Amino acid sequence: VPTVATPVGAVPELEREHGQLTVRVPVGATGAQLAKAVKSAISKKNAPTVERAKSLAKQRLTASEMGHRWTAYLLSLANRTSPLPRITLNPRPNVSIIVTARNYGRYLNECLRSCVRQTVEPVDVIYSDDFSDDDSLDIARSVCGVTVLESDRHYGVCIARNRGVEASTGDVLIHVDGDDTIPSDFVERHLAALTVEAPFAYGPFNTFGEYSHFHNVPEWAFDSHHRLLTANWLNTSAAIWRWAFNAAGGWQETSARTAWDWFLALRLSSL
């Protein structure tokens, strides 16, 4: 039972109905704040709160109940947010690459150079910085062909990515995280796979570092939208038509403050 929680997601709603269930901590709490909250949560004074939470968990947090709630939540996010526009597609679409990061200076040079050095040249490579306090901005400015967007505060990844889209000009958008690299034919192969009928094209990816794994992905099929409800295989760097990105509502924050690519994929796949 989570006895320490941030004021997001289902917790505030449950507490309005059942009374205090957790010890609150702010989003992005420091280690000291978390330690103080945990100490409070396990104190005798807080025993009634813990018992109330345990009792509710037995009733509401069963695997079946949580599965139903999660499915309903994902379905609500997958609903189309705006009608499809009337569009005329460029027969030779150009591509914008948007790189977003915060304090990823140790990876950024390699990332940006992989984006610039493509067999099909992107019309622009945008680096949208989310208020880094390391050397990220200096590194980004040193890479020829990169447009750098600074930020006056830490807004979060969704706003940073959307700012990058607003500054870009391509018909097709490819987002890249600042600690990723893409192969030199990445744009070329994704453009070859993109069709007028499909809002996006995607491919396999490989994680590296302490944990390295090649993630193969299935071909899109008639039931793929429904299978996306249980697992996401669309990498952040899928190639997305700009019209589709706009129709799906762009990058949107989630109550969980994660899985943004998953929820965007669900909205895109319902277009």
Side-chain angles (χ1 to χ4, degrees):
V1 177
T3 54
V4 174
T6 55
V8 297
V11 171
E13 179 186 346
L14 290 171
E15 290 189 327
R16 282 193 294 270
E17 183 179 351
H18 299 279
Q20 184 182 353
L21 299 168
T22 65
V23 175
R24 294 283 185 92
V25 292
V27 174
T30 64
Q33 287 174 313
L34 288 171
K36 183 179 179 181
V38 169
K39 186 176 180 180
S40 175
I42 63 176
S43 67
K44 286 186 177 180
K45 181 180 71 173
N46 202 55
T49 299
V50 174
E51 289 305 314
R52 191 182 303 116
K54 285 182 178 179
S55 176
L56 183 64
K58 289 178 182 178
Q59 303 170 34
R60 302 282 294 273
L61 302 185
T62 64
S64 175
E65 176 68 17
M66 293 302 290
H68 286 306
R69 286 173 175 267
W70 181 241
T71 300
Y73 179 53
L74 292 178
L75 284 170
S76 71
L77 290 171
N79 288 334
R80 186 183 304 160
T81 56
S82 60
L84 290 179
R86 300 171 70 93
I87 54 171
T88 302
L89 296 179
N90 185 345
R92 300 187 64 181
N94 47 41
V95 175
S96 290
I97 299 178
I98 298 100
V99 178
T100 308
R102 183 171 189 262
N103 292 335
Y104 275 3
R106 59 195 182 279
Y107 309 115
L108 199 55
N109 182 65
E110 187 178 1
C111 169
L112 291 173
R113 292 190 185 281
S114 76
C115 295
V116 172
R117 296 169 178 169
Q118 290 292 305
T119 54
V120 172
E121 184 178 357
V123 66
D124 42 34
V125 175
I126 310 291
Y127 171 62
S128 181
D129 185 82
D130 191 20
F131 203 53
S132 295
D133 55 17
D134 64 355
D135 56 353
S136 292
L137 286 168
D138 291 336
I139 291 171
R141 293 190 190 101
S142 73
V143 180
C144 184
V146 175
T147 300
V148 179
L149 300 181
E150 296 187 42
S151 179
D152 60 355
R153 53 172 283 197
H154 173 41
Y155 288 100
V157 66
C158 291
I159 290 178
R161 286 173 178 169
N162 287 333
R163 288 182 67 234
V165 171
E166 291 173 4
S168 68
T169 61
D171 305 302
V172 176
L173 307 171
I174 293 176
H175 293 269
V176 178
D177 288 334
D179 58 346
D180 291 346
T181 61
I182 57 176
S184 60
D185 61 351
F186 190 88
V187 170
E188 181 180 1
R189 296 185 68 177
H190 278 70
L191 276 181
L194 201 60
T195 67
V196 174
E197 295 82 12
F200 54 82
Y202 62 96
F205 58 98
N206 194 80
T207 54
F208 60 91
E210 292 184 8
Y211 172 73
S212 181
H213 180 69
F214 179 75
H215 299 263
N216 207 351
V217 292
E219 290 284 344
W220 194 262
F222 74 95
D223 63 341
S224 291
H225 172 73
H226 295 288
R227 288 193 289 123
L228 268 178
L229 293 171
T230 58
N232 180 37
W233 61 86
L234 265 69
N235 185 265
T236 299
S237 300
I240 307 169
W241 287 109
R242 181 182 290 271
W243 68 262
F245 178 85
N246 291 335
W251 292 101
Q252 298 178 10
E253 189 55 86
T254 68
S255 61
R257 295 183 179 270
T258 188
W260 308 283
D261 53 350
W262 190 357
F263 297 142
L264 176 60
L266 284 167
R267 297 194 303 275
L268 286 168
S269 65
S270 70
L271 295 177

